[in-house]
Amino acid sequence: MEVGAVAAMRYVKDGIKAARLVMQHTGHTLLVGEQASAFAISMGLPGPTNLSSSESVQKWSKWKENRCQPNFWKNIVPVDSCGPYHPKGIAELGKGTCSSANLMAAAESRSSHIGLHNHDTISMAVIDKEGHIAVGTSTNGATYKIPGRVGDGPIAGSSSYADDEVGACGATGDGDIMMRFLPCYQVVESMRLGTEPKLAAQDAIKRIARKFPDFVGAVFAINKNGLHAGACHGWTFQYSVRSPEMEDVEVFTVFP
């Protein structure tokens, strides 16, 4: 129940360290943008640093040459360009009409951008010898995201959640969809009620899939006794485990 997070933080590589500094040295939960970067640097983290790589610059250049396709914009004009964009059908949007079919179509389009080759989320849970549980999540976000976008990584209860009395959960996938359901909070609270990790993880994923059947995502769950499991939708998910009794890390594969 101690939380620290940063989001939309540029020019500082160590995002998870910055999040820990927020937790340890402020009364806040989440810092964002330029001020998050300034905070991290003031607390001793290296920066400002150019975090672009030759690979990322090349990928961005090819994306620009392809008229910025794919992207996360919707209901805008022009469609096949790099903008600037404007709302499509301003008069219709002003009426405030919104159908579930349109919501599903938007979810399908967004989820198509999430996959193994454009996602870099790392989530890790640790139980120490005294039984204290900690979990952290770090991500560079979704490729081709709109500048300023914040995903589920820094949202407590979505990408990660922990309680010494119960256990922990970590998540990855289409964060824009998953954060609407706070899946890791759901997992931990289900385990609090006595549900085993496997069923708790499956239940959290099913809750999302019922509303957004084309979403892509996964969670892992571990209770305070070390019993663990995972659940996924839209892809095959792997997570790894290491305990003092084990000679090496063991990788577990979860199928949708």
Side-chain angles (χ1 to χ4, degrees), residues 224-236:
K224 62 182 181 180
N225 299 316
L227 182 64
H228 58 84
C232 61
H233 185 86
W235 60 8
T236 298

Side-chain angles (χ1 to χ4, degrees), residues 131-232:
H132 298 306
I133 303 173
V135 63
T137 299
S138 180
T139 179
N140 194 47
T143 304
Y144 313 131
K145 60 181 176 283
I146 298 171
R149 178 258 189 185
V150 174
D152 65 330
I155 307 301
S158 186
S159 71
S160 56
Y161 197 71
D163 188 326
D164 283 358
E165 298 177 355
V166 183
C169 166
T172 184
D174 188 344
D176 291 292
I177 295 297
M178 298 178 76
M179 72 167 72
R180 306 176 189 186
F181 296 82
L182 296 179
C184 276
Y185 175 79
Q186 181 66 53
V187 166
V188 172
E189 291 308 304
S190 292
M191 292 194 296
R192 190 189 305 277
L193 296 175
T195 305
E196 64 180 62
K198 182 177 182 179
L199 295 179
Q202 290 175 341
D203 174 67
I205 290 295
K206 288 178 180 177
R207 289 171 183 260
I208 306 173
R210 279 198 294 268
K211 298 289 186 180
F212 297 94
D214 294 300
F215 103 96
V216 175
V219 300
F220 71 80
I222 181 168
N223 66 17
K224 62 182 181 180
N225 299 316
L227 182 64
H228 58 84
C232 61

